[in-house]
Amino acid sequence: MFFQEIFTPIIVFVFTALSLNDTTTCNKAAPLCWPLLKQIIADQHLTDVGAVHLLQAVLHGLQQHGEHESCQSQLLTVGLQCYEAMRPLYPGIAATLLQVPNCTEAMVKAFDERILQSTPNKQASEKKKKDMFKKLVAGVIGQSLGQLFKKEVNFRNLPPLFSKKSQQRAHQQARVDAEPDAGLSSLFAPQNESRL
């Protein structure tokens, strides 16, 4: 009884620490999440609502610290471990992933088939699992302020710098420049003074 009273606030605190506005706290809390989660699942003290809350805490952490590579890597690992451990026992956490922007039901179903229902000899590597999970939650992963409003640079097909027309114009200009009198002096010649 005493263990249950202390363990619940500890696990809530550790998972909430993932989304605090401090990367050091996130880096220190992430390694504690998996052992605590394994223990609470083994003791069967976790409910559907608690499982959803723990996965949401990891997703909030990704939103807050996704711009930092070290935090992002640890949070993706914790998120994948949480999802793999809790998905067979608590099917409601799949709905949590559907709340992520750009995550569809077909993507979650394909992810479940690849991760959870694969046979042991066809088991995907941890890196592939992590990449698949990252694609699922890509809409929630935070970016730095400099990357938020970045415009993609698109270059249209530019015309060639040296075309035949420009070469012909350059040749004509060179011919005009070579003539000593370009016809401008004939406009101001004194021959037309009698008409004034």
Side-chain angles (χ1 to χ4, degrees), residues 97-153:
L97 284 182
L98 292 175
Q99 295 172 0
V100 173
N102 303 327
C103 185
T104 63
E105 191 172 337
M107 291 171 67
V108 173
K109 188 175 181 180
F111 180 70
D112 283 346
E113 289 173 0
R114 273 300 287 269
I115 299 297
L116 302 176
Q117 297 176 357
S118 60
T119 59
N121 57 357
K122 289 186 177 182
Q123 191 74 1
S125 68
E126 287 298 316
K127 180 159 177 51
K128 285 184 182 180
K129 289 180 187 179
K130 197 171 174 182
D131 288 342
M132 290 169 56
F133 187 72
K134 185 177 181 179
K135 286 179 186 175
L136 272 181
V137 297
V140 81
I141 294 176
Q143 295 178 335
S144 65
L145 189 60
Q147 298 295 321
L148 282 177
F149 304 105
K150 184 179 178 182
K151 278 186 151 180
E152 291 294 323
V153 178

Side-chain angles (χ1 to χ4, degrees), residues 17-59:
L18 295 176
S19 60
L20 292 178
N21 198 12
D22 184 21
T23 56
T24 306
T25 304
C26 178
N27 279 329
K28 290 181 179 180
L32 298 175
C33 292
W34 178 236
L36 291 174
L37 183 66
K38 279 195 306 189
Q39 184 64 42
I40 203 168
I41 289 174
D43 293 344
Q44 298 178 349
H45 292 300
L46 191 60
T47 62
D48 271 339
V49 176
V52 168
H53 176 74
L54 295 180
L55 187 61
Q56 284 177 346
V58 174
L59 294 177

Side-chain angles (χ1 to χ4, degrees), residues 54-73:
L54 295 180
L55 187 61
Q56 284 177 346
V58 174
L59 294 177
H60 284 294
L62 276 170
Q63 186 176 17
Q64 183 73 28
H65 301 291
E67 65 185 273
H68 306 290
E69 278 298 316
S70 63
C71 289
Q72 181 184 19
S73 176

